[in-house]
Amino acid sequence: SYFMFVLPPSSSPEYMTMLPLLWAAFGFGQRGAVTSALIISGIALVGTLNGVGPFVHANPNESLLHLQSFMGTMAIAALVLASVISESKRAEQRLQVQDAISRSLAESPSLKDAAPIIIRVLCERAGWDWGAIWSIDQAAKELRCVEMWHIPSLQVPQFEADTKQRRFARGVGLPGRVWSSGKPVWIRDFPADNNLPRAPVAAKEGLHGAFGFPIKLGGETLGVIECISREVRAPDDHFLQMASDIGGQIGQFMERKRVENDLRIQRFQLRAVTEVTPEMLTQCSRDLRFTFVNRAHAQMFGLTPEQVIGRTVPEIIGAEAFETIRHHVETVLQGQPVEYEA
Protein backbone atom coordinates (compact mmCIF):
# COMPACT_ATOMS: atom_id res chain seq x y z
CA SER A 1 0.00 0.00 0.00
CA TYR A 2 1.16 3.50 -0.72
CA PHE A 3 0.25 6.61 1.29
CA MET A 4 0.80 10.21 0.24
CA PHE A 5 0.46 13.13 2.62
CA VAL A 6 0.51 16.74 1.44
CA LEU A 7 1.52 19.13 4.18
CA PRO A 8 -0.01 22.61 4.21
CA PRO A 9 2.24 25.61 3.58
CA SER A 10 4.58 26.93 6.27
CA SER A 11 1.80 29.17 7.59
CA SER A 12 0.50 26.02 9.39
CA PRO A 13 3.61 24.70 11.18
CA GLU A 14 1.53 22.52 13.52
CA TYR A 15 1.14 19.99 10.69
CA MET A 16 4.86 19.28 10.90
CA THR A 17 4.03 17.17 13.96
CA MET A 18 2.66 14.58 11.53
CA LEU A 19 6.19 13.67 10.45
CA PRO A 20 7.33 12.10 13.75
CA LEU A 21 3.93 10.46 14.13
CA LEU A 22 4.29 8.85 10.70
CA TRP A 23 7.86 7.78 11.47
CA ALA A 24 6.74 6.14 14.72
CA ALA A 25 3.75 4.45 13.05
CA PHE A 26 5.84 2.96 10.23
CA GLY A 27 8.75 1.98 12.46
CA PHE A 28 7.12 0.81 15.67
CA GLY A 29 3.43 0.18 14.94
CA GLN A 30 0.58 1.17 17.24
CA ARG A 31 2.71 1.37 20.39
CA GLY A 32 5.12 3.71 18.64
CA ALA A 33 2.29 5.88 17.34
CA VAL A 34 0.71 6.17 20.82
CA THR A 35 4.04 6.93 22.49
CA SER A 36 4.96 9.51 19.87
CA ALA A 37 1.54 11.20 20.16
CA LEU A 38 1.91 11.33 23.96
CA ILE A 39 5.36 12.93 23.81
CA ILE A 40 4.35 15.48 21.16
CA SER A 41 1.17 16.31 23.09
CA GLY A 42 3.19 16.89 26.25
CA ILE A 43 5.65 19.19 24.48
CA ALA A 44 2.82 21.09 22.76
CA LEU A 45 0.92 21.44 26.03
CA VAL A 46 3.92 22.89 27.87
CA GLY A 47 4.63 25.27 24.99
CA THR A 48 1.01 26.42 24.74
CA LEU A 49 0.75 27.06 28.50
CA ASN A 50 3.89 29.19 28.25
CA GLY A 51 2.54 31.18 25.29
CA VAL A 52 4.72 29.52 22.65
CA GLY A 53 3.60 27.66 19.52
CA PRO A 54 0.91 27.71 16.84
CA PHE A 55 -1.93 26.90 19.26
CA VAL A 56 -1.63 30.08 21.36
CA HIS A 57 -4.70 32.36 21.41
CA ALA A 58 -5.75 35.29 23.56
CA ASN A 59 -8.05 33.02 25.54
CA PRO A 60 -6.13 30.15 27.28
CA ASN A 61 -9.19 27.86 27.13
CA GLU A 62 -9.44 28.41 23.40
CA SER A 63 -5.72 27.59 23.05
CA LEU A 64 -6.08 24.31 24.94
CA LEU A 65 -9.21 23.37 22.99
CA HIS A 66 -7.39 24.02 19.71
CA LEU A 67 -4.44 21.93 20.88
CA GLN A 68 -6.64 19.08 22.08
CA SER A 69 -8.70 18.84 18.91
CA PHE A 70 -5.65 19.00 16.65
CA MET A 71 -3.58 16.41 18.55
CA GLY A 72 -6.62 14.13 18.84
CA THR A 73 -7.11 14.22 15.07
CA MET A 74 -3.42 13.58 14.39
CA ALA A 75 -3.24 10.74 16.93
CA ILE A 76 -6.29 8.99 15.44
CA ALA A 77 -4.84 9.28 11.92
CA ALA A 78 -1.51 7.87 13.11
CA LEU A 79 -3.21 4.98 14.94
CA VAL A 80 -5.29 4.05 11.89
CA LEU A 81 -2.16 4.06 9.74
CA ALA A 82 -0.24 2.01 12.33
CA SER A 83 -3.09 -0.51 12.46
CA VAL A 84 -3.05 -0.93 8.67
CA ILE A 85 0.72 -1.36 8.67
CA SER A 86 0.59 -3.90 11.54
CA GLU A 87 -2.09 -5.93 9.77
CA SER A 88 -0.03 -5.94 6.58
CA LYS A 89 3.04 -7.14 8.48
CA ARG A 90 1.07 -9.89 10.23
CA ALA A 91 -0.36 -11.10 6.91
CA GLU A 92 3.12 -11.13 5.38
CA GLN A 93 4.50 -12.99 8.40
CA ARG A 94 1.70 -15.57 8.19
CA LEU A 95 2.39 -16.19 4.51
CA GLN A 96 6.14 -16.52 5.12
CA VAL A 97 5.64 -19.06 7.90
CA GLN A 98 3.13 -21.12 5.92
CA ASP A 99 5.31 -21.05 2.80
CA ALA A 100 8.42 -22.12 4.72
CA ILE A 101 6.56 -24.98 6.43
CA SER A 102 4.97 -26.08 3.13
CA ARG A 103 8.40 -26.30 1.51
CA SER A 104 9.87 -28.23 4.45
CA LEU A 105 7.00 -30.74 4.30
CA ALA A 106 7.32 -31.10 0.52
CA GLU A 107 11.06 -31.77 0.79
CA SER A 108 10.98 -34.14 3.79
CA PRO A 109 10.36 -37.89 3.54
CA SER A 110 8.77 -38.07 7.01
CA LEU A 111 7.57 -35.94 9.92
CA LYS A 112 10.70 -36.89 11.84
CA ASP A 113 12.80 -35.15 9.19
CA ALA A 114 10.46 -32.18 8.88
CA ALA A 115 9.90 -31.62 12.63
CA PRO A 116 13.13 -29.66 13.40
CA ILE A 117 12.50 -27.32 10.46
CA ILE A 118 8.84 -26.80 11.39
CA ILE A 119 9.65 -25.87 14.99
CA ARG A 120 12.55 -23.60 14.01
CA VAL A 121 10.58 -21.74 11.33
CA LEU A 122 7.52 -21.33 13.55
CA CYS A 123 9.53 -19.97 16.49
CA GLU A 124 11.87 -17.72 14.50
CA ARG A 125 9.22 -16.14 12.29
CA ALA A 126 6.60 -15.73 15.03
CA GLY A 127 8.95 -14.57 17.79
CA TRP A 128 8.88 -17.58 20.16
CA ASP A 129 11.99 -18.66 22.08
CA TRP A 130 11.39 -22.40 22.54
CA GLY A 131 9.24 -25.00 20.81
CA ALA A 132 8.42 -28.71 20.85
CA ILE A 133 6.40 -31.32 18.96
CA TRP A 134 4.50 -33.99 20.90
CA SER A 135 3.24 -37.24 19.41
CA ILE A 136 0.42 -39.42 20.74
CA ASP A 137 1.29 -42.92 21.92
CA GLN A 138 -2.05 -44.60 21.22
CA ALA A 139 -1.14 -47.76 23.12
CA ALA A 140 -0.20 -45.93 26.32
CA LYS A 141 -2.76 -43.14 25.81
CA GLU A 142 -0.20 -40.42 26.48
CA LEU A 143 1.82 -37.68 24.80
CA ARG A 144 5.59 -37.74 24.53
CA CYS A 145 8.01 -35.13 23.16
CA VAL A 146 9.68 -36.10 19.87
CA GLU A 147 11.44 -32.84 18.92
CA MET A 148 12.59 -29.59 20.60
CA TRP A 149 14.21 -26.37 19.41
CA HIS A 150 15.28 -23.09 21.01
CA ILE A 151 16.97 -19.86 19.94
CA PRO A 152 20.78 -19.90 20.40
CA SER A 153 20.71 -17.32 23.22
CA LEU A 154 18.29 -19.36 25.36
CA GLN A 155 19.64 -21.90 27.83
CA VAL A 156 16.98 -23.89 29.72
CA PRO A 157 18.61 -27.28 30.47
CA GLN A 158 16.34 -28.20 33.39
CA PHE A 159 13.17 -27.41 31.48
CA GLU A 160 14.34 -29.44 28.47
CA ALA A 161 15.36 -32.39 30.66
CA ASP A 162 11.95 -32.26 32.37
CA THR A 163 10.20 -32.12 28.97
CA LYS A 164 12.11 -35.14 27.62
CA GLN A 165 11.08 -37.40 30.47
CA ARG A 166 7.49 -36.15 30.73
CA ARG A 167 4.45 -38.12 29.59
CA PHE A 168 1.15 -36.25 29.51
CA ALA A 169 -2.32 -37.75 29.71
CA ARG A 170 -5.40 -35.99 28.32
CA GLY A 171 -6.10 -32.73 30.07
CA VAL A 172 -2.76 -32.59 31.92
CA GLY A 173 -0.21 -29.88 31.17
CA LEU A 174 -0.32 -27.64 28.12
CA PRO A 175 0.04 -30.50 25.57
CA GLY A 176 -2.59 -32.57 27.40
CA ARG A 177 -5.06 -29.69 27.46
CA VAL A 178 -4.64 -29.17 23.72
CA TRP A 179 -5.10 -32.90 23.12
CA SER A 180 -8.22 -33.00 25.29
CA SER A 181 -9.91 -29.95 23.73
CA GLY A 182 -8.69 -30.39 20.16
CA LYS A 183 -8.23 -26.61 20.07
CA PRO A 184 -5.35 -24.14 20.54
CA VAL A 185 -4.58 -23.15 24.15
CA TRP A 186 -2.93 -19.81 24.99
CA ILE A 187 -1.34 -19.16 28.40
CA ARG A 188 -0.31 -15.59 29.22
CA ASP A 189 2.08 -16.61 31.99
CA PHE A 190 3.22 -20.24 32.17
CA PRO A 191 4.42 -20.28 35.85
CA ALA A 192 1.15 -18.73 37.07
CA ASP A 193 -1.00 -21.67 35.85
CA ASN A 194 -1.64 -24.39 38.46
CA ASN A 195 -2.41 -27.12 35.90
CA LEU A 196 1.10 -27.15 34.42
CA PRO A 197 3.48 -29.70 35.98
CA ARG A 198 6.51 -27.99 34.40
CA ALA A 199 5.55 -24.53 35.75
CA PRO A 200 8.08 -24.46 38.65
CA VAL A 201 10.97 -25.30 36.30
CA ALA A 202 9.69 -22.77 33.74
CA ALA A 203 9.59 -20.05 36.42
CA LYS A 204 13.11 -20.92 37.57
CA GLU A 205 14.52 -20.59 34.05
CA GLY A 206 12.57 -17.48 33.07
CA LEU A 207 9.92 -18.90 30.70
CA HIS A 208 6.51 -17.22 30.69
CA GLY A 209 4.12 -16.93 27.72
CA ALA A 210 3.07 -20.27 26.18
CA PHE A 211 0.92 -21.51 23.35
CA GLY A 212 -0.07 -24.93 22.05
CA PHE A 213 -2.12 -26.12 19.07
CA PRO A 214 -3.17 -29.53 17.72
CA ILE A 215 -1.94 -31.34 14.64
CA LYS A 216 -5.27 -32.44 13.19
CA LEU A 217 -6.73 -34.54 10.43
CA GLY A 218 -10.43 -33.82 10.23
CA GLY A 219 -11.70 -34.12 13.81
CA GLU A 220 -8.83 -36.34 15.01
CA THR A 221 -5.84 -34.94 16.91
CA LEU A 222 -2.60 -36.58 15.78
CA GLY A 223 -0.13 -34.57 17.88
CA VAL A 224 0.55 -31.23 19.57
CA ILE A 225 2.96 -28.36 18.91
CA GLU A 226 3.82 -25.95 21.74
CA CYS A 227 5.74 -22.66 21.72
CA ILE A 228 7.08 -20.82 24.78
CA SER A 229 8.44 -17.29 25.24
CA ARG A 230 10.53 -15.54 27.88
CA GLU A 231 7.92 -12.76 27.86
CA VAL A 232 4.34 -12.70 29.13
CA ARG A 233 2.29 -12.68 25.91
CA ALA A 234 -1.34 -11.74 25.36
CA PRO A 235 -3.43 -13.92 22.99
CA ASP A 236 -2.99 -13.11 19.30
CA ASP A 237 -6.01 -13.98 17.14
CA HIS A 238 -3.96 -13.79 13.94
CA PHE A 239 -1.39 -16.25 15.25
CA LEU A 240 -4.17 -18.55 16.48
CA GLN A 241 -5.64 -18.72 12.98
CA MET A 242 -2.24 -19.30 11.41
CA ALA A 243 -1.47 -22.08 13.90
CA SER A 244 -4.78 -23.82 13.15
CA ASP A 245 -3.98 -23.78 9.42
CA ILE A 246 -0.48 -25.15 10.06
CA GLY A 247 -1.85 -27.91 12.31
CA GLY A 248 -4.21 -29.04 9.55
CA GLN A 249 -1.42 -28.86 6.98
CA ILE A 250 0.89 -31.08 9.06
CA GLY A 251 -1.98 -33.49 9.73
CA GLN A 252 -2.59 -33.92 6.00
CA PHE A 253 1.14 -34.51 5.50
CA MET A 254 1.17 -37.24 8.16
CA GLU A 255 -1.87 -38.94 6.60
CA ARG A 256 -0.33 -38.80 3.13
CA LYS A 257 2.89 -40.38 4.39
CA ARG A 258 0.88 -43.08 6.21
CA VAL A 259 -0.98 -43.93 3.01
CA GLU A 260 2.27 -43.99 1.02
CA ASN A 261 3.82 -46.31 3.58
CA ASP A 262 0.80 -48.63 3.46
CA LEU A 263 1.06 -48.75 -0.33
CA ARG A 264 4.76 -49.60 -0.14
CA ILE A 265 3.99 -52.44 2.25
CA GLN A 266 1.20 -53.76 0.04
CA ARG A 267 3.44 -53.65 -3.04
CA PHE A 268 6.21 -55.43 -1.18
CA GLN A 269 3.79 -58.13 -0.02
CA LEU A 270 2.35 -58.54 -3.52
CA ARG A 271 5.81 -58.79 -5.06
CA ALA A 272 6.85 -61.33 -2.44
CA VAL A 273 3.83 -63.50 -3.26
CA THR A 274 4.13 -63.24 -7.04
CA GLU A 275 7.86 -64.01 -7.00
CA VAL A 276 7.47 -67.35 -5.23
CA THR A 277 4.28 -68.63 -6.91
CA PRO A 278 4.77 -71.16 -9.77
CA GLU A 279 1.90 -69.53 -11.65
CA MET A 280 2.95 -67.29 -14.55
CA LEU A 281 1.73 -63.73 -13.90
CA THR A 282 2.09 -60.67 -16.11
CA GLN A 283 0.64 -57.21 -16.55
CA CYS A 284 0.63 -55.18 -19.77
CA SER A 285 -0.20 -51.64 -20.81
CA ARG A 286 -2.74 -50.87 -23.57
CA ASP A 287 0.06 -50.84 -26.16
CA LEU A 288 0.83 -54.44 -25.08
CA ARG A 289 4.12 -53.67 -23.35
CA PHE A 290 4.93 -55.70 -20.23
CA THR A 291 4.78 -53.57 -17.08
CA PHE A 292 5.13 -56.50 -14.67
CA VAL A 293 6.36 -60.07 -15.09
CA ASN A 294 6.94 -62.58 -12.32
CA ARG A 295 9.97 -64.82 -12.30
CA ALA A 296 8.08 -67.98 -13.34
CA HIS A 297 6.82 -66.36 -16.57
CA ALA A 298 10.22 -64.90 -17.47
CA GLN A 299 12.02 -68.19 -16.85
CA MET A 300 9.72 -69.94 -19.35
CA PHE A 301 11.47 -67.85 -22.03
CA GLY A 302 14.91 -68.16 -20.48
CA LEU A 303 14.87 -64.51 -19.42
CA THR A 304 14.80 -62.41 -16.25
CA PRO A 305 11.85 -60.12 -15.39
CA GLU A 306 14.09 -57.10 -16.07
CA GLN A 307 14.73 -58.36 -19.62
CA VAL A 308 10.99 -58.68 -20.31
CA ILE A 309 9.52 -55.51 -18.77
CA GLY A 310 9.20 -52.73 -21.35
CA ARG A 311 9.09 -55.04 -24.36
CA THR A 312 5.90 -55.97 -26.28
CA VAL A 313 4.04 -59.26 -26.03
CA PRO A 314 4.77 -60.27 -29.68
CA GLU A 315 8.48 -59.63 -29.08
CA ILE A 316 8.56 -62.07 -26.18
CA ILE A 317 6.17 -64.88 -27.20
CA GLY A 318 6.65 -64.53 -30.96
CA ALA A 319 4.36 -63.16 -33.68
CA GLU A 320 2.82 -66.57 -34.54
CA ALA A 321 1.93 -67.33 -30.90
CA PHE A 322 0.46 -63.84 -30.47
CA GLU A 323 -1.87 -64.36 -33.44
CA THR A 324 -3.50 -67.30 -31.62
CA ILE A 325 -4.51 -65.07 -28.70
CA ARG A 326 -5.02 -61.74 -30.54
CA HIS A 327 -8.82 -61.89 -30.44
CA HIS A 328 -8.71 -62.62 -26.68
CA VAL A 329 -6.48 -59.57 -26.16
CA GLU A 330 -8.81 -57.37 -28.23
CA THR A 331 -11.77 -58.52 -26.12
CA VAL A 332 -9.92 -57.61 -22.92
CA LEU A 333 -9.01 -54.19 -24.35
CA GLN A 334 -12.75 -53.61 -24.86
CA GLY A 335 -13.25 -54.06 -21.11
CA GLN A 336 -14.39 -57.71 -20.97
CA PRO A 337 -12.68 -60.49 -18.96
CA VAL A 338 -11.55 -63.57 -20.91
CA GLU A 339 -10.69 -67.09 -19.79
CA TYR A 340 -9.09 -69.39 -22.36
CA GLU A 341 -6.67 -72.25 -23.00
CA ALA A 342 -4.04 -72.30 -25.74
Side-chain angles (χ1 to χ4, degrees):
S1 300
Y2 296 90
F3 300 91
M4 182 175 69
F5 294 89
V6 179
L7 296 177
S10 57
S11 59
S12 302
E14 64 269 25
Y15 286 96
M16 295 301 293
T17 58
M18 196 62 183
L19 294 178
L21 285 174
L22 290 176
W23 171 78
F26 274 103
F28 305 99
Q30 290 175 303
R31 289 185 180 181
V34 171
T35 304
S36 178
L38 178 62
I39 293 172
I40 293 172
S41 296
I43 295 172
L45 178 61
V46 172
T48 300
L49 291 175
N50 286 276
V52 179
F55 304 103
V56 176
H57 299 281
N59 187 335
N61 291 332
E62 186 179 344
S63 299
L64 293 176
L65 184 60
H66 184 189
L67 168 63
Q68 184 180 14
S69 62
F70 178 81
M71 289 308 303
T73 302
M74 293 297 100
I76 291 173
L79 285 172
V80 170
L81 176 61
S83 177
V84 172
I85 294 171
S86 297
E87 175 60 29
S88 176
K89 288 181 178 179
R90 281 194 293 264
E92 182 180 2
Q93 178 195 61
R94 187 160 58 245
L95 288 173
Q96 288 176 345
V97 172
Q98 291 176 330
D99 179 64
I101 289 178
S102 296
R103 280 190 279 108
S104 68
L105 292 175
E107 296 169 359
S108 301
S110 67
L111 182 62
K112 182 179 179 180
D113 297 294
I117 303 174
I118 293 171
I119 287 294
R120 177 178 57 80
V121 168
L122 188 61
C123 291
E124 286 182 342
R125 300 291 177 88
W128 296 90
D129 300 314
W130 186 92
I133 293 183
W134 298 78
S135 69
I136 298 175
D137 186 337
Q138 296 293 352
K141 301 296 182 182
E142 61 185 16
L143 285 161
R144 61 183 182 85
C145 181
V146 295
E147 189 65 47
M148 290 185 290
W149 182 90
H150 62 80
I151 61 174
S153 61
L154 179 67
Q155 298 298 324
V156 285
Q158 293 183 34
F159 186 81
E160 290 190 344
D162 192 324
T163 298
K164 286 179 181 179
Q165 59 89 24
R166 284 281 179 186
R167 299 293 185 269
F168 286 116
R170 283 180 179 271
V172 180
L174 175 57
R177 285 159 66 173
V178 174
W179 182 19
S180 177
S181 66
K183 299 177 181 179
V185 175
W186 194 292
I187 299 173
R188 292 175 61 91
D189 192 358
F190 198 99
D193 195 307
N194 295 327
N195 187 23
L196 297 175
R198 294 174 294 164
V201 181
K204 183 178 179 180
E205 298 192 324
L207 298 175
H208 291 281
F211 172 73
F213 64 95
I215 299 172
K216 300 194 74 173
L217 180 66
E220 181 184 3
T221 298
L222 306 178
V224 174
I225 294 180
E226 69 171 345
C227 302
I228 300 178
S229 171
R230 288 175 290 186
E231 300 176 353
V232 175
R233 296 183 62 160
D236 184 340
D237 292 337
H238 297 277
F239 187 76
L240 285 168
Q241 182 58 51
M242 179 183 72
S244 297
D245 295 341
I246 292 172
Q249 189 177 1
I250 298 173
Q252 292 175 359
F253 170 81
M254 292 174 64
E255 176 64 12
R256 185 169 67 252
K257 291 301 179 181
R258 185 192 66 78
V259 172
E260 291 175 357
N261 187 57
D262 289 347
L263 286 174
R264 281 196 296 269
I265 293 174
Q266 291 174 6
R267 287 170 180 167
F268 174 79
Q269 292 172 338
L270 178 61
R271 185 170 293 277
V273 171
T274 56
E275 285 298 315
V276 299
T277 181
E279 300 293 334
M280 294 178 287
L281 304 174
T282 70
Q283 185 178 34
C284 298
S285 60
R286 288 191 63 86
D287 61 355
L288 303 184
R289 290 188 180 276
F290 288 103
T291 57
F292 169 78
V293 176
N294 75 337
R295 197 163 300 279
H297 189 279
Q299 286 177 345
M300 184 177 69
F301 299 99
L303 301 171
T304 64
E306 291 74 22
Q307 291 174 314
V308 176
I309 293 174
R311 298 170 68 181
T312 64
V313 174
E315 285 183 272
I316 298 300
I317 72 173
E320 184 178 351
F322 179 70
E323 287 300 320
T324 65
I325 63 170
R326 178 187 289 277
H327 64 286
H328 297 307
V329 173
E330 291 173 348
T331 301
V332 170
L333 289 175
Q334 292 172 6
Q336 300 296 321
V338 173
E339 184 177 338
Y340 66 90
E341 293 184 9

